[in-house]
Amino acid sequence: MHQPGPPRFCAVGESVELAPRAPDPDADYKWTLVEAPDDDAVTVTDDPVLDVAPDTPGTYRFRLAAPDGDHEQTVRVFPDERVDARFEVAAADLPVPESDLDSVAVIGPWNDQLLGRDHAHREGDSYVLEKRLPPGEHYYNFCANDDLNQSVREKMTVEGPGRPRIRVDATVDGDTLVVEADARAAPNGAPPDVEFYVDDRDRADLAADLDIEDDTARVPLDALGDRLRVHAVPIAERYGVADHVDVRTDGERVDVRRPNDGPDWAASPTIYEIFVRSFAGDTPETTFTELERRVPYLDSLDVDCVWLTPVLESPTTHGYHITDYFDTASDLGTRAEFESFVDTCHDHDIRVIFDLVINHTSRDHPFFHHFAGDVPDYEDYYIPDADSPVGAQYYFNWSRIPNLNFGTLDVREFLLSVVDEWSAVVDGFRCDVAWGVPHGFWKEVADRTPDDFLLLDETVPRDPFYHEGEFTVHYDTSLYDTLREIGRGDAPASELFDALNASARMGFPDHAVHMRYVENHDEDRYLDECDEASLRAAAAATFTLPGAPMIYYGQERGMTDYRGKMAWHDGDRELTAYHRRLTAARREYDVLADGSVSPVAVEAVDGPDADRVVAYRRDSGDGDALVAVLNFGSRPATVRLGDATGTTDLLTGEECAAGDSERRVTDAVLLHAE
């Protein structure tokens, strides 16, 4: 059906895209605004996809007339969270002499990374841009002459409270369904209130049957119908990420599901990323057959899933410029050979993650040729931009990959068919440039993929709202950046805790899963910036903290070329063995996946300064507790710990006692807590 999906939440100053689901490009769709706060004047066009930006807080209701009937869409708008902010860079810090400077563009996530949208003005000895931004950290680039390659990258913090968080559960009490919301304040915020919403896809009159008292909503079972989805959103100084339960009943049995939790197998998987065309090594060309022959190696690393960079037809080595979404790359092999690789992975209990690239196509895709050639019916396949050298919008300086137009039903229908095609073959999607695709589209993707399917977002920087009925596993850029800073000696090892706490400050719910990594195909190798001792400690952090640890191919072999040929014959075998010990410990000790994290005091007795060593306790709450001690220094350390621990390193089986309360740490030790 074309019903446009769950209720949507935003603040004044943000926009929301509304669109029919399972769109038929040949059908007629008509939106009308049926309820709004008195003062608001939202423009509703005749387009089938709306982009609305309400300027007044309150509840809005839209109606979509579609071929299968009328559908309602609720949009709850909260007060404006933005405050005045000022970006500034000294003219002398720009990489271009002032005599050669014609303009200074400023880009960041807050203006969709679009060069030319905002320009700084000269003010004294600096270039300045003033914007209104919400509290939090905001990265930005000052680009001399609108050239990203001639830029200065900085980070600005806008002070203010974090976002509250919420978890929603439902139980049956006699003849009543009880929906309870556990709302938690932001680390520096006030206790939140809770608002409940019945999904517009369920009975329109059911909201009147909800009996709401504080953080609990009740509804008689005989009023449910066959399905009820109840959403709850926390509200304090700011609003937070909504959560919901999906309740289904056949009149006898009541089944309660929590879609935002994701599949059980993806609660804490060990992920291995392969940059596909480099994995076979120096001599053979990588093909699906060569990948399949190396599955035993992946199995020996004890990984749960393998993420492949794109395997579809593309003119590039990296594969992110797609030219055919329904055929595997000719140099890699046939679809049958790809499916054989997937089957072999499954035989080894390894799931396969497919890199889904739908924000853009290659400009060599026939769609773009038709767009650029003014072929009728293709003029809206990409977002037009008269100032762009290719006539279409693109992010950063990515002129070879123009942005698809999600306001066009043909594009939406096409991309949903891509989702259907490959979700039937693999076990999950890593979604490229997830931040560039409308939230509503991802919500539809999440609803149409299998229940046990993993969705991993590339959202850089992190954004908790991609957890709202969309993704269940997220890039952890906070920990990534911090581990780099620690490894370079630019931050003490204890900064690791601040990176962990960032998830709560930003508003990620506790049930969100974060992918912990030290490198990937878009970043320089850790060893290229830091030494091996720091790499070992950083890798140990990803495996001894909650979340989903990820190994980028060759990380375990000591590689420094970020997309180079896999170091099979000349790789670091001891470093590989070290990673195997980490994956084995992760699988053996459940507390590493789901236990709490609390700092442990560290006193340096000998070796590096104490700021190069960090320790923390992982506790399951049932008496099962471990202490991880990480040494980012280049020399072994002897430390005294604030918690009593065992003396055997669980990673190596070796004794590490240096006295009654002292422990020797070369890179990382894992100890039983006493």
Side-chain angles (χ1 to χ4, degrees):
M1 65 187 299
H2 300 302
Q3 210 289 337
R8 305 293 298 277
F9 308 99
C10 70
V12 170
E14 300 170 348
S15 63
V16 174
E17 184 206 71
L18 308 179
R21 291 195 167 189
D24 178 357
D26 297 322
D28 292 325
Y29 299 92
K30 176 68 175 178
W31 287 96
T32 55
L33 178 63
V34 296
E35 178 185 338
D38 293 340
D39 298 333
D40 195 79
V42 171
T43 300
V44 178
T45 67
D46 292 332
D47 298 321
V49 179
L50 293 184
D51 190 28
V52 297
D55 60 14
T56 303
T59 299
Y60 297 71
R61 293 188 65 80
F62 296 85
R63 180 172 294 131
L64 173 67
D68 60 344
D70 289 353
H71 306 285
E72 300 289 320
Q73 176 85 74
T74 296
V75 178
R76 173 67 165 101
V77 181
F78 298 100
D80 196 338
E81 301 178 347
R82 298 170 299 170
V83 298
D84 293 336
R86 178 184 173 95
F87 299 100
E88 183 173 354
V89 66
D93 290 340
L94 291 171
V96 171
E98 287 198 70
S99 58
D100 297 333
L101 197 60
D102 296 322
S103 63
V104 179
V106 189
I107 66 167
W110 36 269
N111 70 357
D112 298 328
Q113 306 286 10
L114 294 174
L115 273 169
R117 174 171 287 187
D118 291 296
H119 284 89
H121 64 274
R122 184 65 182 261
E123 206 173 283
D125 294 330
S126 299
Y127 282 88
V128 172
L129 175 70
E130 293 165 343
K131 299 288 287 186
R132 286 178 56 78
L133 298 173
E137 294 182 343
H138 300 276
Y139 288 88
Y140 59 94
N141 287 66
F142 275 83
C143 306
N145 296 327
D146 293 16
D147 184 352
L148 188 63
N149 294 319
Q150 298 288 335
S151 68
V152 176
R153 180 172 171 81
E154 299 288 350
K155 179 177 72 173
M156 176 176 62
T157 299
V158 175
E159 298 299 332
R163 295 191 184 278
R165 297 168 293 148
I166 200 167
R167 177 186 172 92
V168 181
D169 289 286
T171 56
V172 174
D173 182 8
D175 60 358
T176 302
L177 179 74
V178 181
V179 181
E180 295 182 287
D182 178 12
R184 302 184 180 185
N188 55 346
D193 296 324
V194 175
E195 290 183 0
F196 289 97
Y197 293 86
V198 171
D199 199 295
D200 297 299
R201 292 168 288 183
D202 302 325
R203 279 182 46 197
D205 61 342
L206 196 55
D209 292 319
L210 283 184
D211 178 14
I212 299 173
E213 182 178 356
D214 297 327
D215 296 349
T216 303
R218 293 177 173 82
V219 60
L221 290 179
D222 59 11
L224 292 184
D226 60 358
R227 189 172 188 182
L228 172 67
R229 284 158 283 199
V230 178
H231 303 255
V233 58
I235 310 154
E237 300 93 340
R238 308 169 71 186
Y239 77 105
V241 176
D243 194 21
H244 75 282
V245 288
D246 183 351
V247 183
R248 308 183 194 193
T249 177
D250 58 6
E252 297 181 2
R253 182 174 177 270
V254 177
D255 179 27
V256 177
R257 304 180 186 183
R258 284 188 34 79
N260 285 347
D261 282 352
D264 290 342
W265 71 266
S268 184
T270 296
I271 303 170
Y272 189 91
E273 183 197 355
I274 292 177
F275 187 78
V276 173
R277 289 176 174 83
S278 294
F279 197 61
D282 281 344
T283 304
E285 294 298 323
T286 299
T287 62
F288 297 129
T289 299
E290 293 296 338
L291 288 174
E292 184 174 348
R293 292 172 62 188
R294 285 156 179 80
V295 170
Y297 175 75
L298 302 176
D299 195 13
S300 77
L301 289 173
D302 215 9
V303 301
D304 297 297
C305 53
V306 56
W307 152 27
L308 302 176
T309 52
V311 297
L312 300 181
E313 197 67 74
S314 171
T316 61
T317 300
H318 54 70
Y320 286 95
H321 299 186
I322 306 296
T323 56
D324 189 336
Y325 282 86
F326 294 96
D327 196 7
T328 54
S330 54
D331 64 312
L332 296 177
T334 65
R335 175 170 176 150
E337 289 167 337
F338 174 66
E339 293 188 11
S340 177
F341 164 76
V342 173
D343 290 342
T344 298
C345 286
H346 289 171
D347 290 342
H348 289 261
D349 294 324
I350 298 172
R351 289 175 166 86
V352 177
I353 309 302
F354 179 97
D355 214 318
L356 183 70
V357 185
I358 59 172
N359 168 77
H360 52 261
T361 71
S362 167
R363 68 182 185 190
D364 293 322
H365 193 286
F367 284 173
F368 191 75
H369 291 172
H370 299 334
F371 168 85
D374 299 320
V375 176
D377 299 329
Y378 287 89
E379 62 271 13
D380 294 325
Y381 269 51
Y382 298 83
I383 301 174
D385 184 346
D387 296 326
S388 163
V390 297
Q393 181 194 90
Y394 55 84
Y395 296 127
F396 301 109
N397 55 357
W398 299 345
S399 61
R400 296 191 63 85
I401 44 175
N403 293 336
L404 286 162
N405 186 356
F406 284 82
T408 300
L409 295 186
D410 293 275
V411 170
R412 298 178 84 96
E413 181 189 49
F414 173 80
L415 294 177
L416 289 170
S417 68
V418 173
V419 168
D420 292 343
E421 182 78 14
W422 295 106
S423 64
V425 177
V426 296
D427 305 288
F429 291 147
R430 176 268 184 185
C431 297
D432 184 61
V433 194
W435 50 268
V437 174
H439 283 283
F441 192 84
W442 287 131
K443 294 178 192 297
E444 184 170 5
V445 169
D447 280 349
R448 70 193 295 144
T449 50
D451 288 342
D452 63 346
F453 205 76
L454 178 148
L455 289 176
L456 164 66
D457 66 348
E458 184 201 21
T459 303
V460 181
R462 305 164 77 193
D463 184 340
F465 287 101
Y466 286 88
H467 194 82
E468 190 176 279
E470 302 171 36
F471 298 90
T472 56
V473 184
H474 314 275
Y475 270 48
D476 184 356
T477 56
S478 302
L479 184 66
Y480 167 82
D481 289 336
T482 298
L483 291 175
R484 288 287 172 120
E485 291 173 359
I486 296 171
R488 293 192 300 262
D490 295 335
S494 59
E495 282 294 305
L496 176 149
F497 299 120
D498 188 65
L500 288 181
N501 293 336
S503 298
R505 288 197 305 272
M506 298 173 74
F508 281 99
D510 290 341
H511 50 269
V513 179
H514 304 279
M515 186 177 75
R516 319 288 195 187
Y517 61 102
V518 299
E519 54 190 37
N520 63 34
H521 68 278
D522 284 324
E523 311 290 351
D524 291 336
R525 293 281 188 177
Y526 198 92
L527 272 180
D528 196 43
E529 293 187 20
C530 315
D531 60 18
E532 183 176 329
S534 294
L535 170 62
R536 286 172 174 252
T542 65
F543 277 90
T544 57
L545 291 170
M550 191 271 277
I551 300 172
Y552 179 46
Y553 89 104
Q555 169 186 319
E556 79 283 12
R557 304 295 288 170
M559 288 179 58
T560 56
D561 185 345
Y562 85 125
R563 293 179 179 177
K565 297 294 186 180
M566 178 64 166
W568 290 114
H569 70 278
D570 56 352
D572 187 331
R573 299 177 70 175
E574 174 48 38
L575 188 60
T576 307
Y578 177 78
H579 280 76
R580 284 196 177 99
R581 293 196 292 272
L582 293 174
T583 60
R586 184 78 178 194
R587 191 172 296 279
E588 181 174 356
Y589 300 105
D590 292 340
V591 68
L592 294 179
D594 54 21
S596 62
V597 181
S598 55
V600 171
V602 178
E603 177 187 351
V605 177
D606 183 45
D609 295 336
D611 66 2
R612 302 295 289 158
V613 183
V614 65
Y616 44 88
R617 181 186 178 100
R618 302 299 314 279
D619 200 327
S620 64
D622 60 4
D624 184 14
L626 302 176
V627 170
V629 189
L630 313 180
N631 176 14
F632 286 84
S634 58
R635 294 179 295 139
T638 299
V639 298
R640 187 175 294 114
L641 302 175
D643 281 16
T645 68
T647 62
T648 302
D649 178 10
L650 302 177
L651 295 175
T652 63
E654 299 175 356
E655 290 295 300
C656 62
D660 291 342
S661 60
E662 297 173 357
R663 303 291 178 264
R664 291 189 303 272
V665 188
T666 298
D667 35 50
V669 298
L670 188 63
L671 306 166
H672 279 298
E674 294 182 351

